[in-house]
Amino acid sequence: MKRRLFSTLVVSTLALGSVAACGGSDADSAAAEGPIKLMSIGSFETPVFSTPQVETALRAKIADINENGGIDGRKIELKICNDKFDPNEATSCAQRAVTDGMHAVIGGASPFSPQFLPVLEAAKIPLVAGSASSGGAELQSEISFPVNAGAPGMSLGTGRLAAQAGSSTVVIASDNEGSQTGADLSIKGAESAGAKMTKVTMKLGAPDVSATVARALQLKPDAIALQVVTEDALKVVKSLRQSGYEGAVTAPGSLFPPASLEALGDFAEGVRMTSRVVPPTSTDIPQVKEFLAQMKKEDPKAQTDDLALNAWTGMYLLAEVLKGRDVTDGASVIAAFEAVEKPIVLGTAPDYPGVPATPDAEEYPRVPQFDTVGSTVKDGKVVREGDFFNPLEA
């Protein structure tokens, strides 16, 4: 079953619940004043995986919101907490979110949500628009409000794209937990489409990937899926093409930001990807044009990729959900999300209907619509392939 792609009409403002009745306590009134405080937890700068573009995207959208009056007159403050690609640091970030009285945690890309989510759950601080980089945990927690199917959706979709090329496929995965989880999902996606997929594991950040590529090619695959970090994806694709492999290569869209495609040149031609949001090259969509303009204003050199657009979309969604609501603490933000009754038009992703009563995927109950969208590298640019699709459907 195909879903409607998404509306590209001007985004409407929704009235999401009534303002709290007059006569509340002085403490409640004071709590509903002042800035709305947000934190983003992610691997913003580390030796193996860095996402500075996520911070830029959040700051770009927040600057626009603040310049236009904030949320019901209240400014938004953002604190960035770098997990340094370390689960203990990620947990410490969540603890600081509690100590600092954050209203929500927004849109980071951390592989350690299983470690930090329990801290947020105990404090009733919601996680909004996480990337689900560590798999399903963010798509299952009762305090998590994802915009989309995140990394699991892309990984399943990557497997399905590989299966379209033939029945014999391979997935190359790094030896870290997140990549291994993604590889297992790619295998599930391939198998659901009738293909066999074999996993080949490489060392994270390996300087030489030729041995890994040789092992993969020995299996004579029709397609090779990638579940590695961006830096390793560059090395693997280049090595595959230099080894004479002309078959299909599939990957999550977050692996190939514009800088990576430029570095690969002709080697990237024909790579197929699945993304949680539309490719940022989809400038026929007004919200994408808005994203690009705000990113350029915030930092002209920042990457405009899948991760950045996902964070930007999450910040937009959060602002829409909180309009007309008394925001006093994390629990009040959770209540605002639970009060969503009409779909919120996002443009960059399927409209947000709220947490579904009957989820598309039982194992991912918090996902509003379990969809991903495909794209292909053509003449060095990422070109969207049609509608969003559910990678779990037969």
Side-chain angles (χ1 to χ4, degrees):
M1 179 183 68
K2 279 211 169 187
R3 300 181 181 281
R4 178 168 59 88
L5 176 55
F6 35 75
S7 171
T8 59
L9 300 176
V10 175
V11 179
S12 60
T13 301
L14 299 178
L16 298 169
S18 60
V19 178
C22 297
S25 69
D26 291 341
D28 288 340
S29 298
E33 298 175 354
I36 294 174
K37 298 191 293 183
L38 307 178
M39 175 181 283
S40 189
I41 301 172
S43 299
F44 293 99
E45 185 177 355
T46 81
V48 294
F49 177 64
S50 298
T51 60
Q53 70 273 30
V54 171
E55 177 180 354
T56 303
L58 291 172
R59 293 198 184 282
K61 188 60 195 172
I62 289 171
D64 176 71
I65 294 169
N66 286 342
E67 288 170 6
N68 288 280
I71 299 176
D72 298 330
R74 298 174 67 182
K75 301 295 185 181
I76 302 170
E77 290 183 355
L78 176 67
K79 179 174 288 188
I80 296 296
C81 196
N82 182 20
D83 69 18
K84 302 177 184 178
F85 209 73
D86 182 329
N88 295 321
E89 288 287 345
T91 301
S92 294
C93 285
Q95 292 167 342
R96 285 196 286 276
V98 177
T99 301
D100 294 346
M102 294 293 157
H103 294 101
V105 171
I106 176 75
S110 172
F112 304 113
S113 57
Q115 285 78 21
F116 73 70
L117 272 170
V119 178
L120 300 182
E121 289 167 349
K124 290 185 168 51
I125 296 176
L127 172 66
V128 179
S131 65
S133 297
S134 53
E138 293 178 22
L139 310 182
Q140 297 161 350
S141 171
E142 291 186 357
I143 56 93
S144 181
F145 297 91
V147 174
N148 46 47
M154 293 193 296
S155 295
L156 286 158
T158 293
R160 289 188 72 89
L161 291 186
Q164 291 174 8
S167 60
S168 176
T169 64
V170 166
V171 58
I172 296 177
S174 302
D175 58 359
N176 63 306
E177 183 177 355
S179 295
Q180 289 292 309
T181 298
D184 292 342
L185 288 170
S186 291
I187 292 170
K188 182 177 179 180
E191 290 179 344
S192 71
K196 177 185 177 182
M197 180 170 276
T198 303
K199 185 194 300 185
V200 173
T201 298
M202 62 172 282
K203 182 175 177 57
L204 178 69
D208 183 358
V209 300
S210 58
T212 297
V213 166
R215 291 202 307 274
L217 294 180
Q218 284 174 358
L219 298 169
K220 302 186 182 304
D222 299 306
I224 295 177
L226 303 181
Q227 287 293 337
V228 295
V229 297
T230 296
E231 292 79 0
D232 289 343
L234 293 172
K235 291 179 283 188
V236 170
V237 170
K238 187 174 182 179
S239 180
L240 283 170
R241 296 312 191 198
Q242 289 177 332
S243 297
Y245 175 72
E246 297 180 353
V249 176
T250 68
S254 55
L255 293 191
F256 294 102
S260 296
L261 295 180
E262 183 177 354
L264 281 171
D266 291 342
F267 291 128
E269 197 69 13
V271 170
R272 300 186 69 198
M273 296 173 281
T274 54
S275 300
R276 69 199 99 206
V277 289
V278 298
T281 53
S282 303
T283 52
D284 56 315
I285 301 171
Q287 292 85 351
V288 173
K289 293 176 69 175
E290 183 180 350
F291 159 73
L292 293 172
Q294 291 174 10
M295 288 289 284
K296 184 177 181 180
K297 182 178 180 181
E298 183 69 22
D299 181 358
K301 296 181 180 180
Q303 287 189 161
T304 52
D305 62 1
D306 169 89
L307 283 171
L309 185 53
N310 184 69
W312 185 93
T313 301
M315 189 60 241
Y316 171 80
L317 173 64
L318 178 59
E320 289 296 301
V321 169
L322 295 184
K323 286 180 179 177
R325 303 287 304 188
D326 275 350
V327 180
T328 57
D329 55 12
S332 67
V333 177
I334 292 172
F337 270 94
E338 292 175 344
V340 172
E341 294 180 350
K342 296 180 181 179
I344 297 174
V345 177
L346 299 176
T348 57
D351 298 350
Y352 181 82
V355 178
T358 304
D360 290 345
E362 291 184 3
E363 62 266 51
Y364 306 117
R366 307 297 290 182
V367 178
Q369 295 185 49
F370 201 89
D371 287 334
T372 186
V373 64
S375 61
T376 303
V377 179
K378 296 180 179 179
D379 299 324
K381 294 186 177 181
V382 179
V383 179
R384 188 174 76 239
E385 295 179 347
D387 207 341
F388 278 84
F389 66 94
N390 184 339
L392 288 169
E393 288 182 348

